[in-house]
Amino acid sequence: MFSKAHIKDAFSAAVPVMLGYIAIGIPCGILCDSIGLNALQVFLLSALFYSGAGQFMIPNMFLAGSSVASIVASVSLVNTRQMLYSASFAPNCEGVSKRLAFFFAATVTDETYGVSTQRFAEGDWSVDRALMTNLFSQSSWTLSNVVGVLVGSALSIPLNIASFAMTSIFICLMVTQKLTSASIVAMVSAMLGVYLAKLLGLTGPAILIGALIGVLAAFAFAKSRRTGGPSEEEATPEPASASAPAAADGASQGEGAR
């Protein structure tokens, strides 16, 4: 555990995530600077809270005049998905120390979840490698936010551009996905769910509601296709069981795009 070979494997797996975090971490730091947070405060927020979507929500909602209670409730609801990520790795943590499993589960994010899920499925991956991947990614995110604060205090950058950084990243991820009928249903349903939730005044949990609607719609669609006859996923070399993960992934991208 934590050998040089494992560290090298983890760093190699984390590099794409780290580069993405630099691209969105700096704009997030600029937004934090706009509400008066200094470099030390943003460093502690990024290291201890470590939620890209949540950290973007905090300054945006603050600038919109939302109350502290509303900000806390909204960010908490959005981040409930992290519990599902951690729980899904429980079988992979069998036989490892509780401390190692705890730190691994506590540092999982959307992107590192995808990396570790794929690596565990391929084999030759371990919890210590996954934890180091998380920590490399977290370090990149934290330092990028600090740089953003310093840049924001030195330069005048339009806040609308910084605010759109997170959304633009998810749009890029969405358009690069392999589109299937199920993923299209997931994306459209998720976007409609967010829109309807906001129309009903449920602005805080709108993203969470949209994501859940997208996932459920995709699963229902995939199940109906399997019941009614061969689906387009079954006509490809991919196994039929891949339709559910594809649907869930499509839902997350639809959420980000909205």
Side-chain angles (χ1 to χ4, degrees):
M1 293 176 62
F2 299 108
S3 64
K4 289 183 178 180
H6 284 198
I7 294 174
K8 183 178 179 180
D9 290 344
F11 182 76
S12 177
V15 165
V17 178
M18 293 169 66
L19 294 175
Y21 281 178
I22 292 172
I24 61 177
I26 293 176
C28 185
I30 293 172
L31 283 175
C32 290
D33 172 72
S34 70
I35 63 172
L37 296 180
N38 59 39
L40 177 59
Q41 291 171 327
V42 171
F43 174 83
L44 293 174
L45 177 65
S46 302
L48 300 176
F49 181 53
Y50 190 34
S51 168
Q55 282 182 240
F56 266 91
M57 289 177 65
I58 291 171
N60 277 311
M61 293 184 69
F62 182 86
L63 291 172
S66 301
S67 65
V68 173
S70 177
I71 293 174
V72 171
S74 299
V75 172
S76 298
L77 282 169
V78 168
N79 287 328
T80 52
R81 70 191 189 283
Q82 305 292 350
M83 294 186 293
L84 300 177
Y85 291 162
S86 302
S88 70
F89 285 125
N92 303 110
C93 293
E94 293 180 359
V96 304
S97 68
K98 291 184 178 180
R99 180 177 299 180
L100 178 61
F102 170 80
F103 282 113
F104 166 53
T107 53
V108 173
T109 62
D110 299 317
E111 295 78 13
T112 59
Y113 172 79
V115 170
S116 290
T117 297
Q118 180 180 351
R119 294 301 180 99
F120 276 124
E122 293 174 350
D124 195 25
W125 195 244
S126 56
V127 175
D128 66 304
R129 289 185 179 93
L131 171 60
M132 286 186 288
T133 299
N134 294 351
L135 295 179
F136 280 129
S137 301
Q138 182 175 11
S139 299
S140 172
W141 172 255
T142 302
L143 294 176
S144 297
N145 271 264
V146 173
V147 170
V149 173
L150 300 177
V151 170
S153 60
L155 303 175
S156 178
I157 298 176
L159 294 181
N160 288 338
I161 295 177
S163 299
F164 190 70
M166 175 68 80
T167 302
S168 65
I169 290 294
F170 278 108
I171 291 175
C172 291
L173 292 173
M174 182 183 70
V175 299
T176 57
Q177 296 297 308
K178 177 184 177 182
L179 290 180
T180 65
S181 298
S183 63
I184 292 173
V185 168
M187 288 187 286
V188 173
S189 300
M191 289 187 284
L192 289 175
V194 172
Y195 179 73
L196 292 175
K198 290 189 174 184
L199 281 181
L200 295 173
L202 302 174
T203 303
I207 294 177
L208 177 62
I209 292 171
L212 291 174
I213 291 175
V215 171
L216 292 174
F219 275 125
F221 176 81
K223 184 177 180 180
S224 67
R225 290 292 297 272
R226 286 196 298 268
T227 303
S231 65
E232 62 187 70
E233 287 83 4
E234 292 172 334
T236 67
E238 297 178 355
S241 59
S243 59
D249 182 63
S252 66
Q253 306 313 326
E255 165 205 340
R258 183 66 186 88

